[in-house]
């Protein structure tokens, strides 16, 4: 069964086709026919299974290294974990380009193949110079590259710059051949890049180019700095992308800070409304006993309650059941709102087996590794952004004992990404996406149950996951 030795993950419109053509010239390198497979980024294709994917490499001649190029992988959140699970030793090649140029080029490419109906003026109006504009969001390399660094050793990753591929192809390819452990060759020809229509009249787009690059400025500086610090193979000169629009790096900020800033923002958006005075806490209190008996306890009665974390505890209605009904030996009550922690302290004044933590809303700092037997979160994670859920799952793996479990009540709603306008305040999530995130964090799904909530059918999911080594 054939398996790829390398994957070109993007970015779109950053000379990935040119790079593939140069790689194809090498007698010991085989690029899969059709180049773009999109197996790890397209749900329908991914559901065809690993055997279908591996069949794409069957025709590779004996003794050649094989690879594929699918630029959609870089900005697909589930792709890094999927690749790691199936191809743990694969080498990753990333091509990047000036973000403004990449965004505009991507737009005009989609226009040329009739995938884009908006005008340039509408797509890049001042209101649309933001991450929600997918052309710009896909150019925020630090945000996407972070997860590839999370799953892969830096020695498996090489980063190449568009200007170097175009202007110094022989130098770039010699370094890449070395990265792929094949002898370098002299390229038989070089591919000439002709300016596209928008590049023929750059003055028309100069202002938009500047605004895009200004918007992503912090992200790209973070990306460039972390290329220096992470140990990935940098092929060519990062100066080519830096000097094309940003100048020198000042006040360097590590990539992790940018990711944490984003998680902090998302956590605040879902956590800030739940002040102690929120009327929902009183309404929910009236239903917890019924839900515990009919829904929760039958789902978790075989868990270990010796050291439990009640995540996003609110006023402690679930904490009460964990103490009185599940007979937890020790309980940690955590909430993003300090006021809710104070409410819980007043509610349980005589319980000596409780610890209290004011949390960040996205991590579990303050809890030791391998310390918790059960993480419990009911009627809270349904509001969390997918990135926050993913962050919590990674943290849950860290704090759980071997064989420890997490009971997590999360959304199964995929109709929109703003929980404040979605039905019953649900954020974007599904049972299958949650399973992928759990597996990426080395957590095994023991069981799941899709449930109705607030008159909406199948809008939620109960998941029980377990730590395994």
């Amino acid at each position: 069964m054939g398996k790829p030795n390398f994957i070109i993950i993007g970015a779109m419109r950053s000379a990935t086709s040119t790079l593939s053509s140069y790689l194809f010239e090498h007698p010991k390198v085989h690029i899969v026919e059709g180049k773009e497979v999109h197996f790890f980024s397209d749900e329908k294709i991914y559901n065809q299974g690993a055997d279908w994917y591996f069949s794409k490499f069957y025709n590779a001649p004996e003794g050649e290294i094989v690879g594929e190029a699918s630029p959609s992988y870089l900005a697909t959140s589930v792709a890094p974990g999927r690749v790691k699970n199936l191809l743990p030793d694969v080498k990753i090649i990333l091509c990047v380009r000036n973000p403004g140029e990449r965004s505009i080029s991507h737009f005009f490419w989609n226009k040329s193949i009739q995938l884009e109906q908006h005008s340039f003026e509408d797509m890049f109006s001042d209101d649309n110079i933001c991450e929600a504009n997918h052309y710009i969001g896909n150019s925020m390399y630090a945000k996407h590259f972070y997860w590839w660094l999370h799953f892969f050793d830096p020695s498996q990753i090489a980063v190449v710059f568009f200007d170097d591929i175009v202007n110094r192809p022989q130098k770039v390819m010699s370094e890449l051949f070395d990265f792929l452990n094949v002898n370098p060759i002299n390229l038989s020809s070089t591919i000439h890049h002709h300016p596209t229509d928008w590049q023929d009249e750059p003055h028309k787009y100069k202002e938009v180019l500047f605004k895009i690059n200004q918007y992503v400025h912090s992200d790209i500086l973070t990306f460039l700095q972390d290329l220096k610090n992470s140990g990935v193979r940098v092929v060519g000169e990062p100066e080519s992308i830096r000097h094309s629009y940003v100048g020198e790096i000042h006040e360097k900020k590590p990539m992790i800070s940018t990711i944490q800033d984003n998680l902090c923002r998302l956590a605040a958006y879902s956590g800030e409304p739940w002040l102690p005075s929120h009327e929902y806490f009183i309404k929910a209190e009236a239903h917890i006993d019924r839900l515990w008996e009919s829904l929760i306890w039958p789902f978790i009665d075989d868990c270990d309650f010796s050291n439990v974390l009640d995540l996003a505890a609110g006023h402690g209605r679930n904490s009460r059941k964990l103490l009185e009904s599940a007979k937890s030996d020790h309980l940690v009550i955590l909430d993003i709102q300090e006021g809710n922690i104070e409410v819980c302290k007043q509610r349980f004044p005589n319980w000596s087996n409780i610890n209290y933590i004011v949390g960040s809303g996205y991590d579990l700092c303050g809890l030791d590794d391998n310390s918790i037997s059960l993480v419990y979160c009911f009627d809270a994670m349904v509001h969390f952004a997918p990135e926050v859920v993913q962050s919590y799952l990674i943290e849950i793996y860290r704090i759980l004992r071997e064989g420890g479990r997490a009971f997590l009540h999360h959304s199964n709603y995929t109709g929109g990404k703003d929980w404040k306008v979605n039905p019953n305040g649900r954020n974007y999530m599904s049972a299958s996406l949650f399973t992928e995130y759990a597996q990426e964090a080395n957590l095994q799904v023991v069981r799941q149950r899709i449930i109705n909530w607030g008159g909406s059918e199948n809008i939620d999911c109960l998941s029980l996951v377990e730590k395994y080594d």
Side-chain angles (χ1 to χ4, degrees):
M1 182 179 293
K3 290 186 178 182
N5 305 98
F6 67 91
I7 297 176
I8 301 172
I9 63 171
M12 295 181 184
R13 307 303 298 161
S14 297
T16 58
S17 295
T18 300
L19 186 65
S20 298
S21 298
Y22 286 144
L23 286 168
F24 192 74
E25 282 196 30
H26 199 290
K28 293 295 184 181
V29 177
H30 179 82
I31 296 284
V32 68
E33 185 177 355
K35 195 193 81 162
E36 297 184 11
V37 181
H38 302 300
F39 176 72
F40 298 104
S41 56
D42 187 295
E43 290 299 317
K44 290 183 179 179
I45 298 175
Y46 185 73
N47 288 336
Q48 296 187 63
D51 288 344
W52 178 90
Y53 179 64
F54 292 144
S55 71
K56 296 294 181 180
F57 306 94
Y58 283 160
N59 296 329
E62 188 71 26
E64 292 190 11
I65 65 167
V66 296
E68 60 123 331
S70 295
S72 58
Y73 292 164
L74 172 64
T76 302
S77 62
V78 296
R82 288 175 172 179
V83 175
K84 180 64 176 180
N85 288 336
L86 194 61
L87 304 168
D89 300 318
V90 75
K91 292 194 173 183
I92 305 296
I93 299 173
L94 169 63
C95 305
V96 293
R97 183 179 185 178
N98 174 293
E101 291 181 3
R102 196 219 68 81
S103 301
I104 296 173
S105 178
H106 192 179
F107 170 84
F108 279 106
W109 171 256
N110 281 355
K111 270 288 193 185
S112 71
I113 57 175
Q114 299 183 332
L115 287 179
E116 179 57 70
Q117 304 304 316
H118 294 91
S119 68
F120 180 85
E121 290 73 20
D122 288 341
M123 182 54 65
F124 295 103
S125 66
D126 286 348
D127 290 341
N128 269 341
I129 302 297
C130 61
E131 187 177 347
N133 181 331
H134 70 95
Y135 295 113
I136 298 173
N138 286 348
S139 299
M140 298 181 71
Y141 305 130
K143 174 185 174 181
H144 304 304
F145 190 53
Y146 168 82
W147 292 106
W148 293 92
L149 278 176
H150 174 78
F151 285 104
F152 289 92
D153 189 275
S155 64
Q156 293 175 250
I157 303 173
V159 178
V160 192
F161 297 90
F162 174 89
D163 290 349
D164 290 319
I165 299 172
V166 173
N167 299 319
R168 291 171 284 278
Q170 184 64 60
K171 182 179 185 300
V172 166
M173 295 314 300
S174 293
E175 291 189 45
L176 268 186
F177 289 141
D178 180 69
F179 172 70
L180 297 174
N181 296 318
V182 295
N183 292 327
I185 63 167
N186 291 322
L187 299 176
S188 60
S189 61
T190 56
I191 299 171
H192 297 286
H193 284 257
H194 300 286
T196 58
D197 290 342
W198 73 270
Q199 290 172 310
D200 281 333
E201 300 180 281
H203 61 281
K204 289 186 178 181
Y205 309 101
K206 185 176 181 180
E207 183 177 355
V208 171
L209 186 69
F210 175 80
K211 288 179 179 179
I212 295 172
N213 285 332
Q214 186 179 49
Y215 180 82
V216 303
H217 186 267
S218 176
D219 178 270
I220 198 65
L221 292 185
T222 298
F223 174 71
L224 293 172
Q225 182 60 31
D226 277 273
L227 289 184
K228 291 184 176 182
N229 297 337
S230 64
V232 303
R233 179 80 170 261
V234 178
V235 178
E237 298 294 334
E239 304 295 326
S240 62
I241 190 171
R242 176 196 291 167
H243 289 310
S244 59
Y245 78 103
V246 298
E248 293 296 330
I249 295 177
H250 297 290
E251 299 298 325
K252 304 175 182 65
K253 189 176 186 180
M255 182 183 299
I256 189 67
S257 295
T258 297
I259 302 302
Q260 285 179 337
D261 288 347
N262 186 53
L263 288 171
C264 187
R265 176 180 59 81
L266 292 170
Y269 187 67
S270 60
E272 284 180 349
W274 302 102
L275 296 168
S277 58
H278 201 294
E279 62 181 12
Y280 182 78
F281 292 122
I282 296 175
K283 293 179 180 178
E285 193 79 43
H287 298 285
I288 186 60
D289 289 334
R290 174 183 57 82
L291 289 170
W292 179 271
E293 294 300 327
S294 64
L295 184 66
I296 301 170
W297 183 245
F299 200 82
I300 64 171
D301 62 354
D302 58 346
C303 294
D304 178 357
F305 294 91
S306 59
N307 194 19
V308 181
L309 166 65
D310 185 2
L311 174 61
H315 284 193
R317 65 188 184 280
N318 289 284
S319 301
R320 176 175 65 84
K321 301 303 294 185
L322 290 166
L323 290 165
E324 296 176 355
S325 299
K327 307 297 183 184
S328 299
D329 297 326
H330 183 265
L331 181 65
V332 179
I333 295 178
L334 185 150
D335 198 89
I336 192 174
Q337 292 285 354
E338 186 174 3
N340 288 335
I341 292 296
E342 290 303 316
V343 170
C344 289
K345 287 180 178 180
Q346 294 172 25
R347 181 171 188 166
F348 306 111
N350 300 319
W351 293 81
S352 61
N353 60 338
I354 302 177
N355 288 103
Y356 300 92
I357 297 176
V358 178
S360 66
Y362 62 86
D363 67 20
L364 299 174
C365 290
L367 290 164
D368 293 335
D369 296 357
N370 308 306
S371 62
I372 298 295
S373 63
L374 175 68
V375 176
Y376 177 104
C377 186
F378 184 78
D379 196 16
M381 191 170 281
V382 290
H383 310 302
F384 297 176
E387 297 90 337
V388 172
V389 174
Q390 187 175 32
S391 177
Y392 268 131
L393 286 168
I394 292 170
E395 280 284 86
I396 285 169
Y397 176 83
R398 178 183 66 79
I399 67 168
L400 281 180
R401 302 168 181 169
E402 185 175 352
R405 290 178 169 183
F407 166 65
L408 305 171
H409 170 206
H410 57 86
S411 172
N412 189 49
Y413 178 77
T414 57
K417 295 190 175 183
D418 187 347
W419 75 272
K420 291 184 179 180
V421 300
N422 290 342
N424 295 300
R426 268 39 187 174
N427 215 314
Y428 182 92
M429 182 53 62
S430 68
S432 58
L433 180 57
F434 179 91
T435 298
E436 287 205 32
Y437 284 167
Q439 291 172 344
E440 290 170 3
N442 288 325
L443 295 167
Q444 181 177 3
V445 176
V446 178
R447 51 183 171 265
Q448 287 184 314
R449 179 181 173 185
I450 307 296
I451 63 172
N452 303 333
W453 193 277
S456 298
E457 292 188 358
N458 301 328
I459 198 171
D460 285 0
C461 180
L462 305 180
S463 292
L464 188 69
V465 299
E466 182 174 308
K467 179 176 179 176
Y468 65 93
D469 290 321

